[in-house]
Amino acid sequence: MRLFVGNIGNAVKYALSDRKGIIIISALMAITSIATANQHLNAFWRMLAVTLLIVMGYGSYVSWYTLNGSDEHPKINNLKKLIWEGFKKSAITFIYSIPLTFFVHMAKVNMNSNIILSLIGIILFVLTYLCFIIGLLNRYLHKGKFIEAFSLPEIINLARLFDIKSFIRVISAVIISQVFAITVVVGFSNGFDLIELVKSISTFFLAPFFYIAAKRFVGLNVRELFNNTPI
C-alpha cells in the first residue's frame, strides 16, 4: 500500500516536471475538442481531429518509458512517431472493442430470458478486457510491436505473473488511467457564464495533467510487479 501511494506521488511529480508537455497537450486537446464537437466546421477543421492521435501516442510513450525503467518524457516534437503510436493504439483498441461490444450486448439481451448466457457474456467480456490490458503491456515489452497486443500465449504467460494483490493494484491503476483518458477531449462551454468559463479553463489544464500522471502511474505499478517477479 505504501508503494502504491508512493507511486501516486511519483506520477504527480513526473507530470509537473513537464510543464511544456502539459501546455502543448492541453492545446492539442482543445483543437481536438473543437474539431470533433462542432459538426458544422469545414473539412479542414475536422481533419484536425488527428491531433487526438498525438495525445494518445504521447500517453502510450509515458507508460512505455516508465515500464522500461526510464524517467524520460516523450519528445513532443517527433510528431510522426507520436501519430504512428497513437494510430496503433487506436487500431488495437478498435479491434478489441468489437468482441467487447458483442459480449456486452450478449449479456444485456439474455439478462432476463437466459441468465446462463448472460453470465457467459459477462465472463467473456471480463476475460477479453483483461487480454486487452495485458496485450497493451505485452507490446510495450516488445518494442511496441502491434501484433504483440494479440499474442494470446504471451498474454497468458504475462497474466500468470500477477498475484491477487498485484492484480488489484495494476487493474486499479489502469482503470484510473482510462477514466482520465476519457476526459482527454476537453468540453468548452458555448456561453459566457463565469462558472462555465472557469470550469473550461480548469479542465484545459487539469485534464492533460491527470492524463499524463495516470499513464505514469500505470507504468510504475507494472514495473514494480516486474521488479519483484522477473519475466
Side-chain angles (χ1 to χ4, degrees):
M1 185 64 183
R2 183 178 300 176
L3 287 173
F4 189 80
V5 174
N7 286 341
I8 295 177
N10 184 305
V12 170
K13 291 179 181 178
Y14 175 87
L16 289 175
S17 67
D18 188 24
R19 295 182 180 87
K20 180 181 178 181
I22 288 179
I23 293 174
I24 294 176
I25 293 298
S26 298
L28 293 175
M29 289 179 178
I31 293 173
T32 301
S33 300
I34 295 171
T36 56
N38 296 279
Q39 302 296 324
H40 63 279
L41 294 178
N42 59 39
F44 171 76
W45 280 97
R46 296 295 297 281
M47 286 176 61
L48 290 179
V50 73
T51 53
L52 182 59
L53 296 180
I54 301 175
V55 175
M56 293 182 66
Y58 187 93
S60 287
Y61 274 110
V62 169
S63 294
W64 187 348
Y65 289 164
T66 303
L67 187 58
N68 287 283
S70 173
D71 295 327
E72 180 184 357
H73 290 277
K75 298 296 187 296
I76 199 71
N77 60 335
N78 196 338
L79 294 182
K80 182 179 179 180
K81 184 178 180 181
L82 294 178
I83 290 174
W84 178 236
E85 173 60 25
F87 175 78
K88 289 192 291 184
K89 176 71 176 294
S90 298
I92 292 169
T93 302
F94 174 75
I95 292 171
Y96 270 105
S97 70
I98 295 174
L100 287 172
T101 302
F102 174 79
F103 294 140
V104 167
H105 178 73
M106 176 180 172
K108 287 183 177 180
V109 169
N110 294 285
M111 185 66 71
N112 297 321
S113 59
N114 193 326
I115 191 64
I116 294 178
L117 280 179
S118 181
L119 288 174
I120 291 175
I122 293 173
I123 292 172
L124 290 176
F125 173 86
V126 172
L127 291 176
T128 304
Y129 178 75
L130 293 178
C131 285
F132 170 51
I133 299 303
I134 299 175
L136 290 177
L137 297 176
N138 186 57
R139 67 180 288 262
Y140 292 152
L141 297 173
H142 292 82
K143 300 181 179 181
K145 292 182 179 179
F146 181 85
I147 196 64
E148 296 298 336
F150 307 97
S151 178
L152 190 57
E154 292 192 15
I155 290 174
I156 293 174
N157 288 333
L158 196 56
R160 289 173 178 169
L161 297 178
F162 292 76
D163 55 27
I164 295 178
K165 182 179 179 181
S166 61
F167 175 79
I168 294 175
R169 184 177 299 172
V170 171
I171 291 300
S172 297
V174 169
I175 291 175
I176 291 172
S177 173
Q178 293 189 342
V179 167
F180 284 119
I182 294 173
T183 68
V184 162
V185 179
V186 185
F188 289 94
S189 172
N190 293 323
F192 293 95
D193 182 85
L194 180 59
I195 295 178
E196 290 297 328
L197 179 61
V198 171
K199 179 181 176 182
S200 294
I201 294 175
S202 297
T203 306
F204 179 80
F205 289 105
L206 289 178
F209 165 75
F210 284 123
Y211 177 67
I212 294 170
K215 292 297 182 181
R216 171 75 172 178
F217 186 55
V218 171
L220 288 170
N221 281 278
V222 178
R223 188 171 78 187
E224 178 188 322
L225 168 64
F226 291 164
N227 287 339
N228 295 329
T229 311
I231 300 177

